[in-house]
Structure formats: structure tokens, C-alpha cells
Amino acid sequence: QAAAVAKMIGGIEYSYKVKGDQQKAHQAVAPKTQKQAFDLLLSTLEPRFLAVPESIVKLIPPAPIGYSKGREYFASHTGRGFDPMAAAESSIEHSLRLIFSPQRLPRLYQQNLADAKQMNLGDLFDQLWEAGEASEFEERQGNLGALSQLTQKRILAHLKNTASNKDISQAVSAAAYRKIRQLEVFLTQKPLTGNSNKRAHTQYLQEQIRQFRVSPSEFSIPAAARIPDGSPIGCNGMHD
């Protein structure tokens, strides 16, 4: 479903028109539709969406000895047991890969040049970061604050990946780099408040940006937890 929604963002409506058939010429998806699609994807990055209820976690025991985890299991950073943070990470990464597609972002940029009503990349990156910000209430809830921090780490990783991508439009890289510089200023001025996890998170982001600014060419996006395979499974490559 997320992949289907993402196709509206920077999307193009077209048909295979032939002479005299009265079909409309291809055109960008309407600004309102694109914004609605983007808002839906943003909602998949909110801590409350990503949180797995404790009642569900308790229903998923570790895999028995002798049973290996297959393709349909969530990855885990904690061993054999179900890892709700890794499950959230895989969901975050799925949404961000759709948004940061190296073909989608240049389309968005060009569509905004042709029609100022379309989303521009600066607004898109700003709203992405805001979606990863936890409210004061969520910060006080350990798991929701941690999910917010995880989302911000992955957003920054994708911003750096876009800014350093030599195969993408330079205008897109410039927009990503500008957002990174904005975050650098914001994080430098931000007081280190909150619990030790929150302070560690802020310092981690600061250091990640510093390292990127020193050696952008050496950056490679950190691997994220793999999302389980969906349907179709077991069709011997028929749907590749």
C-alpha cells in the first residue's frame, strides 16, 4: 500500500495516446493529490504508528531451538526474540526509500519548477524532519521517544545519501545538503536536555553531520533492518 501511495508523489498521469484518439496528454499528478499522498506516508513515520503494543509483543515468543528464521520473519538486533524496534526500523526504512527514490525527487523538483503549487524539496525535507520529532508527551514515553529518535537517524542517513549521490540531479543533492546544514545549525544551538538517551541521540546526530561535512565522499548509508518479504512468495521468480 505504501508503494502505491508513493507513486502519487512526483507521479505522472499518462496513457499511450495515438493520433486522433482524444486522450489527454500526460501531466503531473495534481498538487492536492500529491500532498495527500505525502501526508499519508508521513503518518507511517509517526511514533504511535510504529509502536507495537506490548500486548502483541507478549504474544510473540522467541523461535524454538532448531527453528531458523525465514524470509517472513522480522530482522532482530536482540537475538532470537521478536525485536519491536527492529520491526519499526524496517517500516521506517521502507517508507523513506520510497520517498527518497533517486528518480522521484528529481521529478518533484522539475514539477515544482513548472508549477509553483507542487511541493518543493525544501518543504518536503522540512516536513519529513518534523514528522520524526516527538511531542513532549511522547518524549516522556520511553518507547515513543526512542522511535522518534530512530526515525530521525534514518532520515539524516537518507539526506546524506542523497546529498552525496553523484548519479542524482545536482539540484536535488543541493536541496538535501541545504537541509543537512540547517540541521547542523539547529543541533549546535539546541541545548542538551532530556534523559541520557535523548542527549546521546542529539550528540550522535551532531557527530554524524560533522563526519559527513569532513568526508562526504566516504559516506555509505548504514544498513537498516530488513522488512519481511510480502506476497507473492514461493513463485519461483514469476513476479520479479
Side-chain angles (χ1 to χ4, degrees), residues 172-194:
V172 173
S173 292
Y177 191 77
R178 176 178 178 271
K179 184 58 185 179
I180 293 169
R181 292 296 302 273
Q182 287 180 335
L183 291 173
E184 181 180 32
V185 173
F186 169 72
L187 292 168
T188 300
Q189 297 174 345
K190 184 177 182 179
L192 286 176
T193 58

Side-chain angles (χ1 to χ4, degrees), residues 28-238:
V29 172
K32 182 179 179 180
T33 302
Q34 292 204 38
K35 182 63 169 62
Q36 290 173 335
F38 184 57
D39 287 345
L40 282 173
L41 275 188
L42 286 182
S43 70
T44 68
L45 300 175
E46 294 175 357
R48 291 180 181 279
F49 175 88
L50 295 165
V52 180
E54 187 63 24
S55 59
I56 301 299
V57 175
K58 290 180 178 179
L59 295 175
I60 311 176
I65 295 175
Y67 286 78
S68 61
K69 288 189 173 183
R71 296 159 53 194
E72 298 175 61
Y73 284 79
F74 281 101
S76 173
H77 298 307
T78 59
R80 300 186 66 83
F82 173 68
D83 181 351
M85 292 300 292
E89 182 182 16
S90 67
S91 178
I92 293 165
E93 183 66 9
H94 180 60
S95 294
L96 291 180
R97 283 187 177 276
L98 292 170
I99 294 170
F100 280 92
S101 162
Q103 291 79 42
R104 176 166 292 108
L105 294 180
R107 290 200 303 270
L108 274 170
Y109 171 74
Q110 293 182 21
Q111 288 177 5
N112 176 255
L113 291 179
D115 181 358
K117 294 179 181 179
Q118 295 283 13
M119 288 188 296
N120 68 64
L121 293 180
D123 289 344
L124 181 143
F125 293 149
D126 287 345
Q127 290 177 55
L128 259 179
W129 190 258
E130 289 169 7
E133 287 276 11
S135 67
E136 290 186 13
F137 171 78
E138 289 171 337
E139 283 289 357
R140 293 194 295 270
Q141 312 300 309
N143 65 324
L144 296 182
L147 289 168
S148 168
Q149 294 165 16
L150 179 58
T151 300
Q152 288 186 331
K153 288 181 176 73
R154 295 310 304 176
I155 292 172
L156 179 58
H158 278 276
L159 284 169
K160 292 190 293 182
N161 191 54
T162 300
S164 61
N165 188 344
K166 296 179 180 178
D167 296 325
I168 204 171
S169 163
Q170 290 183 328
V172 173
S173 292
Y177 191 77
R178 176 178 178 271
K179 184 58 185 179
I180 293 169
R181 292 296 302 273
Q182 287 180 335
L183 291 173
E184 181 180 32
V185 173
F186 169 72
L187 292 168
T188 300
Q189 297 174 345
K190 184 177 182 179
L192 286 176
T193 58
N195 60 28
S196 60
N197 289 335
K198 177 64 174 177
R199 296 195 299 273
H201 171 66
T202 300
Q203 291 174 320
Y204 175 86
L205 295 180
Q206 291 172 336
E207 179 61 16
Q208 288 296 303
I209 293 176
R210 187 196 67 79
Q211 291 180 11
F212 179 76
R213 295 261 281 131
V214 171
S215 303
S217 61
E218 295 181 9
F219 173 78
S220 60
I221 191 165
R226 174 189 56 79
I227 198 166
D229 292 337
S231 59
I233 294 176
C235 297
N236 298 320
M238 288 175 58

